[in-house]
Each structure stands twice: as C-alpha cells, then as structure tokens.
Amino acid sequence: MLFWGSLMKLKKISHRKLTNFVWAILGFFLAFLALFFQVPGFSQQPVTIYLLVRALEAQQLQPLAQQFNQQHPEIQLELIEAPNDTNRVEDLYTASFLLGNSPYDLVFMDIVWTPKFAAAGWLKDLSGYLSPEELEQFLPGDIQGGMYQGKLYRAPFRSDAGMLYYRHDLLEKAGYDPPETFDQLITISQDLQQQGLSEWGYVWQGKQYEGLSAMFVEILQGNGAFWVNPETLEVGLDQENAIAAVKFLQQTLTTKISPPGVTTYAEEETRRLFQNGKTAFLRNWPYVYGLALDSPIAGKYSIKPMVHAENQPSGACQGGWGFGISATSKNPDAAWEVIQFFMKQESQKQFVLANGYVPSLKSLFNDPEIVAKYSHYPELLTVLESPALRPPIPQYAQASDILQRYLSAAITNTMSPEIAMKKAAAETRNLLAVSK
Ligand code: GLC
C-alpha cells in the first residue's frame, strides 16, 4: 500500500511537471511566432511604407519603387498619387500631420516645405544619418534647402531650377539671337507672331498656386527686387522694382505675346502649348526638356537662363524635391532604407536618364551617358549658377498664399500692380510680425 501511494505521488508530480513543460514550450513557440511576424527581415509579412507623391512624378518614380520592392522583400514601398500642384500636396501632408498619426512614413518634400514642417516638429531629424563626406556629394543648394536651424530634415533626391525654353529654329528663321532682357523677349515675340511664325510669344505659369510664386521670384530677381529677406524679415514687395516686375507680367498680356488663359495655367498646361508648337518661349522647369524630346518640336528647342532687366542679374528659382521621415512613423528604419535607395547614384542616374530631371548628385552632371542623352547639361549648369530663392522661413506657405492672391488680382486686372503689391506687402509684414 505504502508503495502504491508513493508511486501515485510520483506520477502526479511527473504529470504536473510534464504539463508545465508542455506549456512552457508552447509559450516559447508562440512568442517566437509573434517575433517572427513582427520583425522585418524575419517575417513573411513586409512592412509597408507609404509615400504621397504628385501624380506625374509618382508614375515616373514607379520603376524605382518596383526595383526597391524586389530587392527588399521585407519592405513594401507604396506610392500614393496626389494632385500635381505642390501646395495641394503640402495641404494633404499638413492635414495628416495635424490629425496626429500621419499615415505617410515618408514625406516627398518640395524644398519650400522644410522650414514649416521642421519647425512644427513633424519630421525626424536626419542629421546623424549622413556623414559630412556624403553630404558633400550633393549640390549645396539642395542640402541647404533641407536644413532648418542647423539640422537636416530632408535628404535631397533631385534638384530643380526655372529657365527659359526657346525655339531656336524660329529665332534663326527670323534672324534673332536668344533674348537677354524682358524688353527683347517682348519685341522678338511680337515679331515672330506678326510674321506668322508662332501663334503665341511667351507662356508662363499664372494660375493662383505655388508655381506663380516660384515663377515670380525670377522676375523679381531680374528686376533687382526681393520678396522677404530671411535674415531681417524685411519685405520688399511694395518697392518700385517689385512693382515693375508685376508690370512686366501684365505687359505680356497687354501686348498679347501671352495668351489670356495664361492666368489659369500651371506647368503642365504651359508645357503642352510649347510641345504642340504654339509658342516660341516658355518659362518652365527642366522636366520639360526630357518630355519634349518626344514631341513635334524635338530638336527645335534650347534652354537658357531667364531674361532680366538691363544691368540686372538673371534668376532661376531654386526648386527641388527630397525625402523626409514623419516624426510619427512606426517604421523609421525601413523608411530610411527607402531613402538610401533613392539617394544612390544608380537610382538618381536611372531617374534622370528616363525623365530629364536635374540630379542633386554633383557627379551626375558629367556622367557620359547623361550628357550623351541630354546635351543641354552644360547650359543647365549656367542656369543653376544664379539661384533665386523663395524665402526659407517657417511662415512660407502663408507668405506665398498672400503673394499668389495679390499677384493673381493684378494679372487678371482686378487690382493695379501698385495697390496689389502694397496690400501684399502689408499683409506679409503683419504675418511676420505676429509670428515673431
Ligand atoms: C517644381 C519645383 C518646386 C516648386 C514647384 C512649383 O516642382 O521643384 O520647388 O515649388 O515646381 O510649381
């Protein structure tokens, strides 16, 4: 009896021990599974990184995104198409940040968004991610445009600069050199129109949106005027030479070198007119060069720095796009992987070759394949030499909104240039005083 009792006890203990052991194994297995499905690299389930991009560029970025996804099975990059106007995309990003957790891990950023997004604390500080030697390889303006108060918030991807496109075939026919001044642009345009060589002379972006401000800083610089001094916050919009800049735009309409519809055109509308041979001159960004190679005017156009007033400098609006990481992203490491991929020389080269954009990596300007396809790169460098900056201040979006409203009023003849610029200057001063 004694023997049996002891045996049962032993069996009981062994049974309990066994059960505990089985539970421990099961627990361990479950924990392993959980880890397996959470950690990128171990998991079958990739981490998805969302990026909102203007529609045209989203299509152009798609091949690189596909390559990234193939090379990184643990990360899925998803491009979401946004409207083409930069300020509308900025509004979408802003709304998502204001709501709290932004659904976008990466922010494909226009150069002018950096101070606002950084000052608001919406972006991760990327300063430690790139060494000074790595930064040195990019155009200084692109790095500068990603900095706010000494820290880097935007990694450069591609640069941009406004320029003048012209039909060299028409100028040759009529015996003209390309124009240097505003006056020459008007006279040559009128003559080409009168001779029936071109329906319109000059086409530019006059719609009330960010592109209007970008185009206008070039006309300001070409008149020796300025918008806002970022150091002193002085506003120059109501000075005489700034008013002269508005008058030049008005003059393009009164002389009928520009179509009346220009006051509603963004980049794409103006590109189509140029490509379809409807205008002799166009103000636009480098992307037009690549697209127009495949159009009826192929081989008939060239680029040059923007026209300016006598004895004043030319101005190329400094644009450009790069990547930031949302401060609330749950996958900042995967987001950084994406950025590294896009910053690589091979990726930038492929993107530039396919689409004719300006690279931000300096070495690509001398790349034989790029130079062979885009023979205008030497001229492009001269364009980039005279950058006109939109003021890099946190209140930029509001300042630009004010300028756009009053410029639009002036070019659509609802306000005189003097009154429009006086009001624009006063409102801008108020804005900057309140936020000081
Ligand atoms: C281009 C420029 C950008 C600018 C925009 C205006 O995309 O790169 O900086 O704000 O045009 O439309």
Side-chain angles (χ1 to χ4, degrees):
M1 283 301 280
L2 210 75
F3 172 76
W4 272 118
S6 313
L7 195 65
M8 286 308 287
K9 237 185 212 168
L10 198 70
K11 264 191 179 169
K12 240 185 198 161
I13 291 167
S14 311
H15 188 254
R16 201 182 302 136
K17 267 195 177 162
L18 191 70
T19 321
N20 285 349
F21 183 67
V22 169
W23 275 117
I25 294 274
L26 204 67
F28 179 75
F29 185 66
L30 285 175
F32 177 76
L33 272 186
L35 197 73
F36 185 81
F37 280 106
Q38 256 172 28
V39 178
F42 286 110
S43 103
Q44 305 299 320
Q45 211 86 331
V47 164
T48 306
I49 295 292
Y50 294 99
L51 176 61
L52 184 72
V53 189
R54 298 186 300 168
L56 174 67
E57 199 154 353
Q59 286 150 23
Q60 295 165 328
L61 284 169
Q62 206 60 56
L64 278 179
Q66 275 165 10
Q67 280 168 34
F68 175 86
N69 288 338
Q70 272 159 15
Q71 291 169 24
H72 299 80
E74 74 285 7
I75 305 171
Q76 178 70 29
L77 172 63
E78 206 155 301
L79 304 180
I80 299 167
E81 287 192 14
N84 277 326
D85 288 359
T86 170
N87 45 294
R88 291 187 60 200
V89 193
E90 186 191 357
D91 288 346
L92 291 173
Y93 273 121
T94 299
S96 81
F97 287 134
L98 289 173
L99 283 174
N101 280 344
S102 163
Y104 312 114
D105 303 277
L106 281 173
V107 190
F108 192 55
M109 288 172 58
D110 190 341
I111 199 162
V112 284
W113 304 350
T114 313
K116 170 176 156 182
F117 285 15
W122 293 337
L123 299 174
K124 227 175 134 55
D125 174 7
L126 303 180
S127 310
Y129 285 62
L130 291 160
S131 67
E133 294 74 38
E134 284 169 311
L135 290 176
E136 183 46 38
Q137 297 169 16
F138 294 87
L139 292 173
D142 290 337
I143 297 295
Q144 204 45 47
M147 309 279 294
Y148 180 67
Q149 295 190 338
K151 292 182 178 157
L152 183 78
Y153 290 94
R154 190 195 81 134
F157 177 57
R158 68 170 180 89
S159 196
D160 228 353
M163 59 186 72
L164 187 71
Y165 286 81
Y166 63 94
R167 288 281 303 278
H168 60 240
D169 60 327
L170 301 183
L171 291 189
E172 271 157 33
K173 239 182 228 166
Y176 286 112
D177 283 335
E180 289 302 326
T181 64
F182 294 124
D183 289 346
Q184 287 167 358
L185 178 79
I186 293 178
T187 332
I188 300 175
S189 292
Q190 283 178 314
D191 192 28
L192 295 177
Q193 286 173 286
Q194 270 154 24
Q195 290 193 43
L197 288 171
S198 185
E199 184 175 344
W200 298 106
Y202 178 48
V203 173
W204 45 281
Q205 296 81 43
K207 176 178 160 175
Q208 191 181 325
Y209 80 123
E210 178 56 29
L212 179 61
S213 300
M215 177 280 306
F216 190 60
V217 288
E218 296 166 0
I219 314 295
L220 279 177
Q221 182 153 316
N223 272 285
F226 72 99
W227 180 357
V228 174
N229 177 327
E231 306 300 326
T232 61
L233 297 188
E234 187 193 350
V235 178
L237 291 178
D238 49 358
Q239 292 181 4
E240 206 175 308
N241 43 5
I243 294 168
V246 185
K247 287 187 174 160
F248 162 72
L249 294 179
Q250 266 194 337
Q251 215 186 341
T252 67
L253 289 155
T254 51
T255 54
K256 295 194 169 48
I257 66 163
S258 301
V262 97
T263 55
T264 63
Y265 295 163
E267 282 87 357
E268 280 296 86
E269 288 84 4
T270 60
R271 172 177 74 86
R272 284 189 206 107
L273 279 178
F274 186 62
Q275 277 192 196
N276 293 332
K278 301 268 186 236
T279 180
F281 299 103
L282 163 77
R283 183 271 165 205
N284 214 317
W285 307 94
Y287 83 101
V288 170
Y289 200 98
L291 292 176
L293 287 176
D294 191 19
S295 83
I297 59 156
K300 298 179 176 168
Y301 61 91
S302 301
I303 57 163
K304 69 176 294 297
M306 193 56 193
V307 285
H308 49 85
E310 203 80 55
N311 301 321
Q312 292 295 349
S314 174
C317 177
Q318 162 90 59
W321 293 77
F323 294 94
I325 300 182
S326 297
T328 56
S329 168
K330 295 202 174 59
N331 300 299
D333 294 341
W336 178 245
E337 281 281 331
V338 176
I339 297 184
Q340 277 179 307
F341 175 84
F342 279 89
M343 284 179 88
K344 275 198 309 204
Q345 166 141 340
E346 302 91 276
S347 308
Q348 292 213 0
K349 179 170 170 178
Q350 184 183 328
F351 191 65
V352 166
L353 273 175
N355 305 296
Y357 284 112
V358 184
S360 54
L361 264 178
K362 289 190 264 185
S363 59
L364 290 180
F365 282 88
N366 301 315
D367 183 277
E369 259 181 275
I370 291 184
V371 179
K373 177 156 185 197
Y374 300 117
S375 53
H376 65 300
Y377 264 59
E379 285 91 44
L380 204 58
L381 276 175
T382 65
V383 167
L384 291 168
E385 272 161 17
S386 44
L389 293 188
R390 287 165 283 175
I393 50 174
Q395 310 88 333
Y396 177 75
Q398 289 135 291
S400 179
D401 186 66
I402 295 170
L403 178 63
Q404 290 161 35
R405 266 189 286 121
Y406 287 106
L407 261 184
S408 181
I411 60 182
T412 53
N413 286 327
T414 45
M415 226 178 253
S416 73
E418 288 82 359
I419 293 183
M421 288 299 101
K422 216 171 230 146
K423 284 183 181 264
E427 249 182 66
T428 311
R429 285 188 190 112
N430 270 343
L431 164 78
L432 298 178
V434 190
S435 38
K436 247 182 204 167

